[in-house]
């Protein structure tokens, strides 16, 4: 039996009608058209009926019929749902103002810390990246072996530059460089500034942005290129081109160009001028001598490789350049390239291996930023789940009217995302306010990257991720409630429901206590090194650089004039700063020295009065004295040198250094001239009035520093009236050696305080909620005779136990981390038990103070009101 075929109008025409007309109008028209279609089928046949149906549909598509009212516009289900979620989320926030304040405030503080650390990490990672050929630039270094381990230096001999240019095609450009502080004078303006003498290729290697002039000036002799800031300092608004500048009161040079200052986060931020290398050779006697000396390592070499060349491969090729030449030195130098990408963050070497550097702190603070943000997210999780019973009825009703779990999860996520967005807006304000202080602590000049689209994409992703992390556990937990139990009133959060909250609170305080202990140990390590005996007295000791030629050759007269002022208790000259060791030698021998060793002994040249001026401590023998004419061939050794040479009694021993014999007349205590966290290197001191460049002065203790310096300036100006009076306090110079550690300590301390603040904020919220939840219990206990102390103990006990557990976890964790960190320092503090105990007691005290307000408030509440409210 055949089934009759269904007869109907063209479906596509009906679809067009529904697509173009408003829904209610399309249904009305479709009904009329279908009725007419059936009549036409009977009268004219199926074919004619269909054709006329299409014609009627097309004729009805007029603007008046197609126009939609606002109520006719289709509303996507997703848009409506999101709008509803947002409304409910806003109402929830407004209804629970205290809860919302704690959550948004905690998240904002956490996000502020994360953003500040993010800016700092970005600044560190972008160091030197402004240069066009960043990936192809490298600095020459060398490993040398003086004794057992290899040491690393970034100073090299002058001839190496030409050797690389002429014999190694992998190098596209090579430039010698040396940095000096000099006196620049333009008319009446005189300043001491730092700059570099470089070869012409330096401008191309380091993307010199000339604002005026030409880089070819670096190929001449008596020219100079000024940074934009230095040009304004010297000449103001006047055009400086072709003006004359005098360097160190001896050499006139012409300003041949002005270049844009190098960025703050670059290796050349302190370079304020560039002068030709040929000028340096012309005025510096040492550079003239070193032109062909392969063993005078005093200069820097920068290189740019050709595209596609591997840095490690080139390092292998140039490794033994010096050892293949005549008379290879005993310290066996190995040259290698250190790429620009590693200059700032990977600048530490140990025994020929790159061991990292600042990258350790970049990772450390990155982890701290994530952890602090996680602490803020934990607050949200804890408070959301703690309030579960209050929201249980809402969840039950929603499920009863048809909501599925995915919709509830979306609702709770919308609340956390809304809070995260509000917290982000608040955190941007906090960052803007905190950035000046943060820059001062971190010694940076960072700005929020408002104009960088990447910043806003990262900020959006950062906010979404924070909202998701904070909301994932509450969303899953709250949406799991059974509607039957909730609506019957039999729902109660079981005892295990509080376990995750306790674990998270414990984690918060574990992190906080670890950060507290870490901060204390960092500052103790700094103080330990600062209090280390330095072998001389820093108090009242100043240094004046002998930049002007007029200060040379007048030692006795200058010393007498300074002493006669009454402002100076002692005066001497030396080959360098008291706090810096400039060089050493392996060309030294003594009785009993092993022939197969080439240890490095640091060399220091001083005048007779140096020891009395700096206050060094002679442990054996005597100091230099003008009463002994033989002191020009005498030498003092420090304790480290005596130990190296194996002398039991060094007095009278003969030392041969660079072909000259010296007699040891005394042994002094070790003077800390280099890294205060490391052992002092073996050093010798010899008398010289020629190899000196620094005046050392001990100010009279009975005068103020201001009075004494004014009198000293008068004397110095008498000898060199055109030289700026620049001086440095040795105490300040020594303090700068702790700059990195102090900076890290201050940052870690600040982040530790914020971590504790976030933890306490969450703790305060939890304590407040618990007091509210147990109102009836507290009222009954008070009626039965419980005291305020009993109630306080009841509410505080759980948190105290959590802090004790957190301390038990934090103490071994902190010990492990800090023990490993202290291994980087050979001179280090001890991890005393009382530091851990103090940190634990501090955390416990902060916890009790935080929760006591709510606990005592609940304990003092009227019992009648407490019971009536329930």
């Amino acid at each position: 039996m055949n089934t009759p075929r269904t007869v109907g109008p063209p479906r596509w025409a009906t679809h067009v009608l529904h697509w173009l007309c408003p829904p209610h109008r399309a249904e009305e028209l479709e009904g009329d058209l279908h009725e007419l279609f059936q009549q036409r089928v009977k009268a004219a046949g199926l074919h004619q009926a269909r054709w006329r149906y299409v014609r009627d549909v097309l004729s009805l598509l007029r603007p008046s019929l197609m126009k939609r009212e606002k109520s006719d516009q289709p509303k996507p289900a997703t848009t409506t749902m999101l709008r509803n979620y947002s409304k409910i989320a806003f109402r929830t926030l407004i209804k629970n103002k205290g809860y919302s304040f704690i959550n948004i405030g905690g998240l904002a503080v956490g996000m502020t810390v994360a953003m500040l650390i993010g800016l700092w990490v970005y600044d560190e990672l972008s160091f030197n990246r402004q240069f066009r050929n960043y990936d192809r630039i490298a600095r020459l270094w060398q490993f040398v072996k003086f004794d057992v381990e290899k040491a690393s230096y970034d100073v090299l001999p002058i001839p190496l530059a030409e050797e690389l240019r002429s014999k190694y095609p992998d190098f596209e450009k090579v430039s010698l460089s040396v940095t000096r502080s000099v006196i620049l004078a333009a008319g009446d303006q005189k300043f001491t500034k730092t700059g570099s003498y470089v070869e012409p290729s330096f401008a191309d290697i380091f993307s010199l942005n000339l604002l005026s002039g030409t880089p070819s000036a670096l190929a001449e002799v008596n020219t100079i290129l000024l940074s934009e800031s230095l040009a304004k300092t010297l000449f103001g608004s006047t055009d400086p081109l072709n003006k004359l500048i005098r360097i160190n009161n001896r050499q006139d040079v012409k300003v041949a160009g002005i270049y844009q200052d190098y960025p703050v986060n670059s290796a050349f931020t302190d370079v304020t001028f560039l002068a030709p290398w040929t000028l340096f050779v012309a005025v510096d006697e040492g550079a003239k001598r070193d032109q062909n000396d392969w063993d005078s390592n005093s200069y820097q070499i920068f290189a740019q490789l050709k595209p596609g060349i591997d840095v490690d491969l080139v390092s292998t090729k140039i490794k033994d350049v010096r050892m293949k030449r005549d008379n290879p030195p005993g310290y066996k130098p190995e040259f290698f390239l250190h790429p620009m990408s590693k200059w700032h963050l990977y600048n530490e070497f140990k025994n020929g291996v790159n061991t990292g550097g600042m990258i350790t702190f970049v990772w450390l603070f990155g982890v701290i930023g994530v952890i602090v943000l996680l602490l803020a997210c934990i607050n949200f999780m804890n408070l959301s789940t703690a309030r579960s019973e209050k929201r249980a009825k809402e969840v039950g009703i929603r499920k009863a009217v048809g909501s599925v779990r995915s919709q509830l999860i979306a609702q709770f996520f919308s609340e956390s995302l809304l809070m995260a967005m509000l917290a982000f807006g608040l955190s941007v304000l906090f960052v803007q306010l905190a950035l000046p202080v943060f820059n001062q602590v971190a010694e940076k000049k960072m700005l929020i990257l408002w104009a960088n689209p990447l910043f806003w994409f990262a900020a959006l992703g950062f906010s979404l991720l924070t909202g998701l992390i904070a909301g994932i556990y509450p969303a899953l937990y709250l949406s799991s409630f059974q509607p039957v139990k909730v609506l019957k009133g039999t729902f109660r959060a079981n005892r295990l429901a509080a376990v995750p909250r306790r674990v998270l609170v414990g984690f918060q305080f574990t992190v906080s206590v670890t950060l507290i202990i870490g901060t204390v140990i960092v500052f103790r390590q700094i103080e330990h090194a600062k209090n280390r005996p330095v072998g001389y007295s820093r108090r009242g000791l100043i240094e004046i650089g002998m930049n002007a030629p007029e200060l040379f050759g007048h030692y006795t007269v200058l010393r007498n004039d300074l002493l006669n002022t009454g402002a100076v208790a002692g005066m001497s000259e030396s080959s360098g700063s008291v706090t810096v060791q400039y060089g050493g030698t392996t060309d030294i021998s003594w009785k009993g020295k092993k022939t197969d060793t080439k240890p490095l002994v640091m060399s220091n040249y001083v005048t007779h009065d140096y020891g009395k001026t700096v206050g060094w401590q002679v442990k054996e023998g005597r100091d230099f004295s003008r009463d002994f004419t033989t002191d020009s061939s005498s030498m003092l050794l420090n304790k480290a040198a005596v130990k190296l040479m194996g002398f039991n009694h060094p007095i009278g021993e003969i030392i041969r250094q660079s072909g000259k014999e010296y007699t040891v007349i005394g042994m002094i205590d070790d003077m800390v001239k280099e890294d205060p966290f490391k052992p002092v290197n073996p050093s010798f001191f010899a008398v010289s009035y020629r190899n000196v460049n620094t005046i050392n002065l001990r100010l009279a203790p009975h005068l103020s520093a201001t009075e004494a310096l004014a009198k000293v300036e008068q004397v110095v100006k008498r000898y060199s009236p055109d030289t700026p009076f620049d001086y440095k306090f040795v105490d300040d110079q020594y303090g700068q050696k702790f700059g990195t550690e102090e900076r890290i300590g201050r940052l870690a301390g600040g982040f530790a305080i914020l971590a504790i603040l976030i933890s306490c904020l969450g703790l305060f919220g939890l304590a407040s909620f618990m007091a509210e939840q147990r109102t009836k219990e507290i009222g009954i206990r008070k009626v039965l005779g419980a005291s305020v102390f009993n109630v306080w103990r009841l509410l505080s006990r759980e948190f105290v136990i959590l802090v004790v557990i957190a301390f038990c976890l934090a103490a071994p964790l902190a010990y492990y981390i800090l023990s490993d960190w202290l291994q980087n320092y050979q001179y280090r503090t001890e991890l005393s038990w009382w530091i851990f105990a103090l940190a634990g007691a501090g955390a416990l005290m902060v916890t009790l103070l935080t929760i006591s307000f709510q606990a005592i408030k609940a304990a003092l509440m009227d019992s009648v009101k407490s019971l009536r409210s329930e």
Side-chain angles (χ1 to χ4, degrees):
M1 186 171 113
N2 294 328
T3 304
R5 188 163 59 94
T6 302
V7 177
R11 290 183 180 180
W12 66 267
T14 305
H15 287 318
V16 169
L17 182 68
H18 279 272
W19 181 46
L20 294 175
C21 290
H24 70 280
R25 195 167 296 156
E27 290 176 4
E28 182 181 346
L29 292 173
E30 183 185 1
D32 293 341
L33 290 173
H34 269 260
E35 186 178 347
L36 189 58
F37 173 78
Q38 295 299 333
Q39 294 173 3
R40 286 172 176 167
V41 170
K42 294 177 181 178
L46 180 62
H47 179 74
Q48 283 291 327
R50 285 186 170 180
W51 184 85
R52 290 182 183 182
Y53 182 90
V54 172
R55 184 190 63 184
D56 290 342
V57 167
L58 295 176
S59 67
L60 289 170
L61 301 180
R62 298 191 297 270
S64 60
L65 294 175
M66 294 169 58
K67 183 178 179 181
R68 295 171 182 258
E69 301 297 332
K70 286 187 178 180
S71 59
D72 295 329
Q73 301 295 330
K75 297 180 180 178
T78 304
T79 305
T80 305
M81 180 178 64
L82 290 176
R83 184 159 56 247
N84 289 336
Y85 287 165
S86 300
K87 284 181 181 179
I88 295 170
F90 268 112
R91 289 169 182 168
T92 303
L93 295 186
I94 295 170
K95 182 181 177 182
N96 303 281
K97 295 183 180 64
Y99 155 80
S100 302
F101 172 78
I102 291 175
N103 267 326
I104 295 174
L107 281 175
V109 173
M111 293 173 99
T112 299
V113 173
M115 287 178 67
L116 288 172
I117 291 178
L119 288 172
W120 184 82
V121 169
Y122 176 81
D123 188 81
E124 292 292 320
L125 295 178
S126 61
F127 206 87
N128 282 332
R129 286 186 178 271
Q130 308 86 353
F131 298 108
R132 232 182 357 256
N133 301 306
Y134 169 82
D135 295 327
R136 295 194 285 136
I137 298 173
R139 175 189 290 160
L140 270 292
W141 279 63
Q142 63 174 321
F143 293 128
V144 294
K145 192 171 184 179
F146 297 119
D147 199 356
V148 179
E149 290 190 353
K150 292 180 180 178
S152 54
Y153 297 95
D154 64 346
V155 286
L156 302 118
I158 292 176
L160 177 60
E162 184 56 37
E163 182 86 0
L164 299 179
R165 269 191 290 259
S166 60
K167 296 184 179 180
Y168 293 87
D170 294 330
F171 292 91
E172 188 174 296
K173 294 181 177 69
V174 176
S175 174
L176 281 158
S177 174
V178 66
T179 301
R180 292 286 185 269
S181 290
V182 301
I183 299 169
L184 297 179
D188 296 332
Q189 300 291 330
K190 299 179 181 67
F191 299 95
T192 301
K193 295 292 180 180
T194 300
S196 295
Y197 294 88
V198 298
E199 292 185 300
S201 56
F202 184 94
D204 292 328
I205 294 173
F206 294 107
S207 312
L208 191 68
N209 184 12
L210 273 176
L211 304 176
S212 60
T214 171
S216 62
L218 292 175
E220 302 175 24
V221 180
N222 296 317
T223 57
I224 192 171
L225 300 178
L226 303 180
S227 67
E228 187 178 12
S229 60
L230 179 57
K232 288 180 180 178
T233 300
L234 291 174
F235 298 99
S237 57
T238 307
D239 184 6
L241 279 181
N242 299 318
K243 297 287 195 304
L244 291 180
I245 290 179
R246 171 156 286 200
I247 301 178
N248 285 339
N249 297 331
R250 67 171 81 172
Q251 188 76 26
D252 289 325
V253 294
K254 181 178 69 174
V255 178
I258 308 298
Y259 65 89
Q260 186 178 39
D261 288 70
Y262 280 113
V264 175
N265 62 335
S266 79
F268 303 99
T269 183
D270 295 328
V271 175
T272 59
F273 70 85
L274 296 173
W277 175 260
T278 49
L279 173 63
F280 179 70
V281 174
V283 300
D284 190 270
E285 293 299 323
K288 289 177 183 176
R289 291 194 307 268
D290 296 340
Q291 284 295 96
N292 298 304
D293 188 349
W294 277 88
D295 294 318
S296 180
N297 300 294
S298 304
Y299 312 94
Q300 289 185 321
I301 299 177
F302 299 103
Q304 179 178 312
L305 300 178
K306 291 180 178 178
I309 300 298
D310 183 73
V311 171
D312 295 330
L313 184 62
V314 177
S315 294
T316 304
K317 292 180 181 179
I318 66 173
K319 175 182 175 181
D320 296 321
V321 168
R322 177 66 187 94
M323 297 303 292
K324 292 177 181 177
R325 299 187 63 83
D326 296 336
N327 302 317
Y331 56 84
K332 301 176 182 178
E334 298 176 7
F335 301 128
F336 68 96
L337 292 172
H338 193 47
M340 179 176 266
S341 59
K342 294 185 176 182
W343 289 4
H344 182 61
L345 299 178
Y346 299 87
N347 59 348
E348 294 181 2
F349 297 88
K350 185 174 183 180
N351 197 22
V353 178
N354 190 313
T355 56
M358 276 297 293
I359 189 64
T360 303
F361 296 112
V362 171
W363 278 107
L364 172 65
F365 284 116
V367 170
I368 289 176
V370 172
I371 289 176
V372 171
L373 181 60
L374 188 58
L375 297 183
C377 293
I378 286 173
N379 282 351
F380 183 92
M381 296 179 192
N382 281 341
L383 290 176
S384 297
T385 54
R387 297 176 66 254
S388 59
E389 288 191 27
K390 287 205 166 188
R391 300 201 67 177
K393 189 172 288 186
E394 175 193 342
V395 172
I397 293 173
R398 285 178 176 276
K399 284 192 172 183
V401 298
S403 292
V404 295
R405 189 179 185 189
S406 60
Q407 292 174 321
L408 292 170
I409 289 174
Q411 169 62 49
F412 292 125
F413 266 132
S414 68
E415 292 179 16
S416 64
L417 290 173
L418 176 61
M419 285 194 182
M421 289 298 179
L422 293 174
F424 173 73
L426 195 58
S427 68
V428 171
L429 175 62
F430 288 166
V431 169
Q432 187 66 33
L433 294 173
L435 206 50
V437 177
F438 186 73
N439 277 331
Q440 187 176 1
V441 172
E443 297 183 10
K444 295 278 188 181
K445 293 183 180 179
M446 299 177 294
L447 298 170
I448 296 179
L449 308 173
W450 300 110
N452 190 338
L454 184 62
F455 168 78
W456 292 107
F457 280 118
L460 179 61
F462 172 61
S463 301
L464 291 174
L465 182 62
T466 303
L468 291 174
I469 293 173
I472 187 167
Y473 176 63
L476 295 174
Y477 177 71
L478 295 174
S479 64
S480 66
F481 294 163
Q482 298 298 319
V484 175
K485 290 183 179 180
V486 170
L487 296 178
K488 278 185 175 180
T490 59
F491 171 80
R492 291 290 182 274
N494 59 44
R495 296 181 63 183
L496 294 178
V499 172
R501 284 201 300 277
R502 291 169 183 161
V503 171
L504 293 174
V505 170
F507 173 77
Q508 283 184 312
F509 276 93
T510 300
V511 171
S512 299
V513 172
T514 303
L515 287 174
I516 292 171
I517 296 171
T519 302
V520 173
I521 293 297
V522 168
F523 280 110
R524 274 186 57 81
Q525 171 65 5
I526 294 169
E527 289 303 312
H528 180 70
K530 280 186 174 181
N531 296 330
R532 174 186 183 181
V534 294
Y536 62 95
S537 174
R538 302 192 301 269
R539 185 176 182 135
L541 190 62
I542 68 168
E543 299 174 341
I544 301 173
M546 300 171 66
N547 294 324
E550 295 87 353
L551 294 175
F552 289 88
H554 310 291
Y555 176 79
T556 303
V557 179
L558 176 61
R559 181 173 182 273
N560 290 334
D561 287 346
L562 287 168
L563 292 175
N564 289 335
T565 63
V568 173
M571 181 269 190
S572 65
E573 292 177 356
S574 59
S575 57
S577 169
V578 180
T579 60
V580 179
Q581 184 63 62
Y582 288 97
T585 180
T586 57
D587 187 9
I588 186 170
S589 59
W590 57 88
K591 183 180 178 182
K593 179 190 175 185
K594 296 179 181 179
T595 56
D596 59 341
T597 60
K598 288 281 185 179
L600 178 69
V601 180
M602 312 313 291
S603 54
N604 301 269
Y605 296 97
V606 299
T607 56
H608 283 88
D609 310 289
Y610 182 80
K612 296 183 181 67
T613 302
V614 301
W616 66 17
Q617 301 167 25
V618 179
K619 294 297 183 180
E620 190 174 341
R622 64 174 178 86
D623 200 347
F624 293 123
S625 172
R626 291 186 180 83
D627 296 334
F628 297 88
T629 57
T630 56
D631 275 7
S632 58
S633 299
S634 299
M635 182 181 285
L636 269 76
L637 302 176
N638 68 354
K639 289 169 68 176
V642 172
K643 182 179 179 181
L644 171 72
M645 297 173 184
F647 298 143
N648 293 322
H649 300 286
I651 309 305
E653 294 287 350
I654 303 299
I655 306 293
R656 189 173 185 83
Q657 195 266 317
S658 298
K660 182 179 178 180
E661 288 189 351
Y662 292 85
T663 302
V664 178
I665 62 170
M667 178 183 73
I668 63 168
D669 206 355
D670 289 333
M671 290 177 63
V672 180
K673 293 170 70 72
E674 297 178 271
D675 192 333
F677 298 104
K678 293 181 179 179
V680 175
N681 286 320
S683 305
F684 73 80
F685 294 81
V687 172
S688 174
Y689 286 80
R690 295 182 59 188
N691 300 323
V692 292
N693 57 24
T694 303
I695 298 173
N696 311 288
L697 297 176
R698 172 77 61 186
L699 299 182
H702 64 276
L703 290 178
S704 68
T706 304
E707 292 177 285
L709 289 170
K711 293 184 177 183
V712 171
E713 183 179 9
Q714 291 177 0
V715 175
V716 173
K717 286 288 187 182
R718 197 184 309 157
Y719 287 86
S720 183
D722 296 328
T723 303
F725 180 60
D726 290 326
Y727 60 89
K728 296 175 181 177
F729 280 92
V730 170
D731 210 20
D732 293 340
Q733 294 292 100
Y734 185 76
Q736 290 177 9
K737 295 178 180 291
F738 304 92
T740 299
E741 283 75 15
E742 286 185 329
R743 193 160 57 248
I744 297 303
R746 288 194 299 268
L747 290 173
F751 296 144
I753 291 171
L754 290 173
I756 295 167
L757 174 64
I758 292 170
S759 299
C760 290
L761 201 60
L763 199 62
F764 183 84
L766 277 177
S768 175
F769 180 77
M770 284 184 64
E772 179 186 350
Q773 193 179 36
R774 302 177 74 171
T775 301
K776 185 175 181 180
E777 177 189 350
I778 293 170
I780 294 172
R781 286 179 178 273
K782 289 187 68 178
V783 168
L784 295 176
S787 64
V788 172
F789 175 76
N790 294 140
V791 175
W792 173 82
R793 186 177 60 183
L794 173 71
L795 295 176
S796 304
R797 182 172 53 198
E798 179 179 338
F799 295 108
V800 170
I801 292 172
L802 286 175
V803 171
V804 171
I805 294 173
F807 170 75
C808 293
L809 294 173
L813 177 64
Y815 184 87
Y816 173 78
I817 295 172
L818 292 167
S819 295
D820 187 60
W821 176 70
L822 286 173
Q823 294 306 311
N824 296 319
Y825 302 97
Q826 292 173 301
Y827 190 82
R828 53 183 176 265
T829 187
E830 294 181 355
L831 293 174
S832 304
W833 66 269
W834 63 265
I835 297 174
F836 294 81
L838 187 64
L844 185 60
M845 185 69 67
V846 170
T847 302
L848 291 175
L849 288 174
T850 302
I851 61 178
S852 289
F853 175 79
Q854 289 296 343
I856 295 173
K857 180 181 175 182
L860 294 175
M861 186 179 294
D862 188 349
S863 302
V864 175
K865 291 182 179 179
S866 299
L867 296 174
R868 184 183 298 162
S869 68
E870 291 290 317

